[in-house]
Amino acid sequence: MFKPYFFILITFFYCFYSQAQQPKKPTSSEIYQAIEKLNFLGSVLYVAAHPDDENTRLISHMANEVKARTAYLSLTRGDGGQNLIGPELKELLGVIRTQELLAARHIDGGIQLFTRADDFGYSKHPDETLAIWNEQEVLSDVVWAIRNFQPDIIINRFDHRSPGTTHGHHTSSAMLSMKAFDDAADHSKFPNQLKSVAVWQPKREFFNTSWWFYGSKEKFDAADKTNQYAVEVGDFYPALGLSNPEIAALSRSAHKSQGFGNTGTRGSDFEYLELIKGDAPTDRNNIFEGIDTSWNRVNGGQPIGDILKTVQANYNFKNPSASIPKLIEAYKMVQKLENSHWKTIKSEDLKNVIAACAGLFLEAAAASHLATPNSTVSLNLEAINRSSQNMVLTSITLSDGTRIQKNTDLKFNESHQFKSQLNIPSTASYSTPYWLETKGTLGMYKVDDQSLIGLPETPKEMTATFNVSIEGETLAYEKTIIYKTNDPVKGEVYKPFEIVPIVSSHIAEPVIIFADSQQKDIQVIVKANQNALEGYVQLDRPQGWRVFPEKQNIAIINKGEEQILTFTVIPPKNQSEGVLTPKVYIGKDVFSKKLVEIDYEHIPFQMVLLPNESKVVRLDIKKKGENIGYIVGAGDAVPESLRQIGYNVAIIKPEDINAETLNRFDAIVVGIRAYNTVDALKFKQKQLFDFVEQGGNLIVQYNTNGDLIVDQLAPYPLELSRDRVTDENSEVRLLNTTNELLNYPNKITQKDFEGWVQERGLYFPNKWSKEFTPLLSMHDKNEPPKEGSLLVAKFGKGHYIYTGLSFFREFPEGVAGAYRLFANMLSVGKETIKRDVQLKD
């Protein structure tokens, strides 16, 4: 059955973070905290919509002070957000943010869960959100999480009673949580789940309110708090040397792709919980009041609790192994419990505490980072007992069925290392996020295996189970096979052990723009994941496009080597778009996937297997000017996109912004959120404005209206707002249709706004001086028109343009109209120069 495995897995995540980091080696104080948690049988489920929505202060308090099993259910993986640390967007950003959430839970002691909902971008109302998400499917996932996790208490981050006042995803998370509170206990709701789990009724549900929901601290202080419970979260943990808010800040700071670095605080502080369902606790200082969280809650549990209380009372910080005999005694009794839920959870907890008390180190390391199905990899196995407790390593069982009989006495501090071989079956699944294996919809990931739904990562198939006999009881410790190496700078480095196809390929550019009918040479990079690879490659293309040669042979001698093939692609004469797909033929097999590597210091190395497609677009586009300077903001692919249509784009460092540098360019483009994130720009506005005044074009892309580093964003008064248009298909009305920017060198029409993705734009200005000319009007359903998405102003001899349009999202998707419009922005003023030259002639 799935249920026990689910709990083994999530417990494992807490004890051995993310399968790829160095194994947890708890201190004596941390072991004591784990023993304290053995005596608490209660659970809290915190529910919100995105990575970063969770209240880490409350999660840390529940996990570390209350000692409750505490999970965060994030309905999405944050795929629709932005990335401050690199170019990854959409599903790859979701992979990064998933790992950041796991890192956060590793710090604050929580467990991480998800649904299949895809973060499709900002939504203004839950009606839109739930239509795109598929309300019933996401609700079923929330019910599945409740039935699996069995929380006594649910806490919602957002208010279910305020649709339309905040992000639609936020309100939807609370609305679904409220409904799931009842549905999880109803046998008629999602009955197919009951093959694996039982119905479950949480005791009570809260809304984690704060002054933010009231509009100000003054209003919150004056509000009626009769139905609210104040929870002290300013705890200090001497064993850790940290306050609860300091732990919460470290957890919050794990969200590095969003720039959420946080500074911890110290001293008394409170979180407020408003009861919205269930019975009210009479003890206002204990939200678990009335819920039996002792071992008495399970039949036959009292003697176990008595033993564990003795263990806790007599714990020897200098010799944790002294607790092992009693812990083994408790473990044996837990095996006799009828309650499978707490039996599974506490069995794993006890095993991990026993191993920690013994300083028991068990590891299975592969000799290679990668392997392919139907291959063999060498393993290094290690076992060491760093305590005086007698124990025997009876055997090691590998996931391929190999059983290595050892009967080795693990004497104090004696390292035992073994060599073995692991056979990777031909049926082995490739290592990739399970939610990306099958194409989903705009709002939902497609996951057919019910047992996977909710898990943060794909469970690793390749394992080694160390069977260790202690005090007459055999404990099975399953370890995921990892890869580790020694880096000259970093020292010991762990990586996940991955199963990959024998070959992968990709085109260097995910989008290839043809600005005219000229052919382009396209490189296909083929990488061998086994030795002696031979075959050939063909390039599938859209109708009307031509490719030469038809196919090319490959011959790669060594595993890990690449071969680069060049194909000539000839576009049609007229505007067209489609996809190029490299297909690698090896014998009778065809491979059409690419391997994407994500490598950042703050998360484990990630490998993602995706369809190998590059979009090709034949544009009907004209441009003026050649040399563009780009000031990088929070990370986007705009420079690469502009190069695709023939511009020479140079990245300008903030310290190099001066008249001499700027005058080399026809236009300067400022990256997204640069005025929020690049502090050095606060000293460079005069030079940029001088550039415009002397005849240059300055294009500033969107910034948020908070935390601007400059007082004057433009040479004339301009105020940003939170206005945005989230419907990518919303009607766009052209204003000032005779304006040069809408006519030269490309005639902009309604057709140029077809095929946009995720949104029209965000953080539009809502106030500007008379010098600015608004060019576009657009709005979401039931909202007034917004005219601040594209503003242009003449300043001196040049032009200043501010745009909140989401070019950073449209360019990577090859949206033709976005390229044509941006080319016009870069070309503003060039028609006037051309006429002036003609008049002089």
Side-chain angles (χ1 to χ4, degrees), residues 547-686:
V547 173
F548 296 100
E550 280 292 323
K551 67 178 183 178
Q552 296 191 56
N553 293 329
I554 56 168
I556 305 176
I557 298 173
N558 297 312
K559 175 181 177 180
E561 279 191 298
E562 293 181 344
Q563 184 173 339
I564 300 176
L565 308 175
T566 301
F567 289 87
T568 299
V569 178
I570 305 172
K573 292 183 179 180
N574 299 320
Q575 188 158 312
S576 171
E577 61 182 58
V579 295
L580 293 178
T581 302
K583 290 187 174 179
V584 184
Y585 293 80
I586 308 294
K588 296 180 180 180
D589 297 321
V590 183
F591 298 87
S592 58
K593 298 282 189 178
K594 63 180 176 181
L595 280 172
V596 180
E597 296 181 356
I598 301 176
D599 193 6
Y600 290 102
E601 289 287 336
H602 68 295
I603 59 174
F605 179 89
Q606 298 294 299
M607 189 163 278
V608 185
L609 195 62
L610 294 175
N612 188 7
E613 297 178 346
S614 285
K615 187 173 183 179
V616 285
V617 182
R618 163 68 169 98
L619 287 180
D620 177 15
I621 188 172
K622 301 179 181 67
K623 64 182 183 67
K624 297 297 177 183
E626 297 293 334
N627 301 312
I628 308 300
Y630 199 91
I631 300 169
V632 176
D636 58 67
V638 172
E640 292 81 0
S641 300
L642 296 180
R643 292 185 185 110
Q644 288 261 16
I645 57 174
Y647 284 104
N648 300 318
V649 182
I651 302 300
I652 303 176
K653 296 179 180 179
E655 59 268 26
D656 294 335
I657 296 175
N658 54 55
E660 182 180 355
T661 299
L662 298 179
N663 288 337
R664 301 172 188 166
F665 301 104
D666 300 304
I668 302 296
V669 180
V670 182
I672 61 173
R673 293 184 65 185
Y675 288 106
N676 299 126
T677 60
V678 184
D679 286 340
L681 283 181
K682 68 177 68 172
F683 309 112
K684 299 296 182 178
Q685 284 296 78
K686 183 180 187 305

Side-chain angles (χ1 to χ4, degrees), residues 9 329 490 510 578 608 629 638 784 789 810 828:
L9 186 68
E329 186 179 345
K490 301 174 185 176
V608 185
V638 172
S789 64
E810 311 314 316
V828 164

Side-chain angles (χ1 to χ4, degrees), residues 334-488:
V334 168
Q335 305 318 298
K336 299 175 182 178
L337 292 177
E338 296 177 1
N339 185 306
S340 61
H341 177 75
W342 286 109
K343 175 182 177 180
T344 301
I345 293 166
K346 293 304 180 181
S347 291
E348 287 303 305
D349 289 348
L350 275 161
K351 280 167 53 179
N352 290 323
V353 170
I354 291 165
C357 285
L360 181 60
F361 182 85
L362 305 169
E363 185 173 81
S368 173
H369 168 42
L370 303 174
T372 58
N374 200 29
S375 67
T376 301
V377 63
S378 297
L379 293 183
N380 297 309
L381 306 168
E382 182 180 0
I384 182 170
N385 166 27
R386 289 169 288 186
S387 74
S388 58
Q389 173 67 47
N390 293 327
M391 60 181 69
V392 176
L393 174 64
T394 59
S395 63
I396 304 171
T397 304
L398 305 182
S399 52
D400 64 2
T402 301
R403 183 177 179 85
I404 308 166
Q405 201 68 36
K406 285 299 173 187
N407 294 319
T408 301
D409 190 6
L410 298 180
K411 295 180 180 178
F412 171 67
N413 216 25
E414 222 177 72
S415 178
H416 298 271
Q417 300 190 31
F418 317 100
K419 300 287 185 182
S420 187
Q421 300 283 324
L422 177 70
N423 298 309
I424 312 297
S426 58
T427 56
S429 301
Y430 297 136
S431 301
T432 194
Y434 69 86
W435 62 94
L436 297 178
E437 288 184 2
T438 306
K439 186 175 178 61
T441 64
L442 173 62
M444 295 294 297
Y445 283 119
K446 182 174 173 56
V447 181
D448 295 323
D449 186 346
Q450 179 70 47
S451 69
L452 292 174
I453 293 173
L455 298 181
E457 295 183 289
T458 308
K460 298 292 186 181
E461 292 183 13
M462 303 304 138
T463 61
T465 301
F466 294 78
N467 300 299
V468 182
S469 177
I470 308 174
E471 298 282 325
E473 185 74 8
T474 297
L475 306 182
Y477 289 97
E478 184 178 89
K479 297 294 181 180
T480 297
I481 292 173
I482 51 85
Y483 170 76
K484 68 177 182 180
T485 187
N486 185 72
D487 183 273

